[in-house]
Amino acid sequence: AERPIRFIFCATDKAYGSAGQQDYTEDMPLNALAVYDASKAAADIIARTYAACDYVPALAVVRPCNILAPADLNLGRVLNRIILPCMRGERPVLYSTNNMREYIWVADAVDAIKTLDERLKDMLDGRDNDSVHGQAYNISSGQGRSLKECVRAVMVHFPGLEPIWISAPLIAQTVEIPYQALSTNKIKAATGWYPLSNFEASVSRLVEWWRRNWDMLPETLKNAKMEGWH
């Protein structure tokens, strides 16, 4: 017999594009412009189409904010771009913007996904209705931070260092989203999930991970120069 499929697609809050200085809700249009953002928005729509057309019996989409996780070595991440130069004793070079983002610790994001998966499983087992199936849910800590606030949270761990601020390139000014904040009322009402993470504590965990594992990291990573827009 065929096993029922439970599928959760992880999109991104950037699928909304720029929606002004308000909490984004799941019924807002997806107006992404940047390449990464637009590809996620397209996949988001396709995933929900599979649910609507009954190609997948149990499916949900999540749109998380920026997820903070140890051992994430993507140097496109803003916190990595701050921490890595500091680990070398250098001043990080950053674009001077007032962009605001929300951040969530990875354990909270995973917990939200697992909670939705349990609801989908209960639906397939006949213990719940299909209210979660085919729906999209924001995942966020509700703790917004500007770039300068992110820098301050890191710099307390590297006293004596200060960032170098440079002008952002035109492409970053064009497609970078200036303000992002997510409403999580929908997932809270549907599942009772609630975030536990604290931004400053999460930054401390990241810095601790870099320090604990610095000697084991490859030289190419430790000496990497963050260049180009991000």
Side-chain angles (χ1 to χ4, degrees):
E2 293 185 3
R3 287 168 36 180
I5 295 173
R6 303 195 310 275
F7 185 87
I8 296 179
F9 175 70
C10 189
T12 175
D13 57 353
K14 293 163 187 60
Y16 293 109
S18 182
Q21 295 196 11
Q22 59 181 321
D23 288 353
Y24 296 8
T25 57
E26 290 85 350
D27 57 353
M28 287 182 173
L30 304 184
N31 288 325
L33 290 178
V35 174
Y36 168 84
D37 309 1
S39 67
K40 284 282 194 173
D44 183 315
I45 294 170
I46 292 170
R48 287 181 289 116
T49 298
Y50 269 66
C53 295
D54 290 327
Y55 296 144
V56 178
L59 180 147
V61 170
V62 294
R63 298 170 184 159
C65 65
N66 294 274
I67 297 175
L68 303 180
D72 179 357
L73 300 179
N74 182 346
L75 297 185
R77 313 277 193 220
V78 65
L79 288 174
N80 286 349
R81 294 175 79 95
I82 302 170
I83 294 172
L84 179 57
C86 291
M87 289 295 300
R88 298 194 296 252
E90 300 171 2
R91 299 170 66 188
V93 179
L94 302 162
Y95 297 140
S96 182
T97 71
N98 294 316
N99 293 348
M100 199 282 289
R101 300 285 185 269
E102 289 184 337
Y103 301 85
I104 190 169
W105 188 246
V106 61
D108 270 347
V110 170
D111 185 54
I113 294 170
K114 287 173 61 179
T115 301
L116 285 170
D117 183 56
E118 286 297 321
R119 290 294 303 273
L120 292 174
K121 184 176 184 297
D122 287 345
M123 181 194 77
L124 291 175
D125 293 341
R127 295 191 300 269
D128 198 358
N129 59 32
D130 64 352
S131 60
V132 171
H133 176 54
Q135 295 296 308
Y137 294 93
N138 293 334
I139 298 176
S140 175
S141 65
Q143 300 177 40
R145 296 292 187 275
S146 68
L147 177 57
K148 289 181 171 59
E149 288 173 323
C150 290
V151 169
R152 284 198 294 270
V154 172
M155 290 306 182
V156 297
H157 301 279
F158 299 95
L161 290 177
E162 294 292 336
I164 298 172
W165 297 103
I166 62 174
S167 297
L170 181 60
I171 186 172
Q173 298 174 34
T174 303
V175 302
E176 277 286 315
I177 301 168
Y179 181 93
Q180 284 192 293
L182 295 175
S183 167
T184 53
N185 290 338
K186 184 177 178 180
I187 190 171
K188 290 173 182 175
T191 69
W193 173 84
Y194 199 87
L196 300 175
S197 58
N198 170 274
F199 176 74
E200 283 71 24
S202 298
V203 170
S204 296
R205 289 177 177 177
L206 288 181
V207 172
E208 179 186 355
W209 184 90
W210 278 90
R211 283 177 167 158
R212 188 170 62 250
N213 294 279
W214 182 252
D215 290 340
M216 293 183 288
L217 296 176
E219 293 300 319
T220 52
L221 175 71
K222 292 195 287 187
N223 295 318
K225 301 294 182 182
M226 279 69 73
E227 299 176 349
W229 86 284
H230 57 282

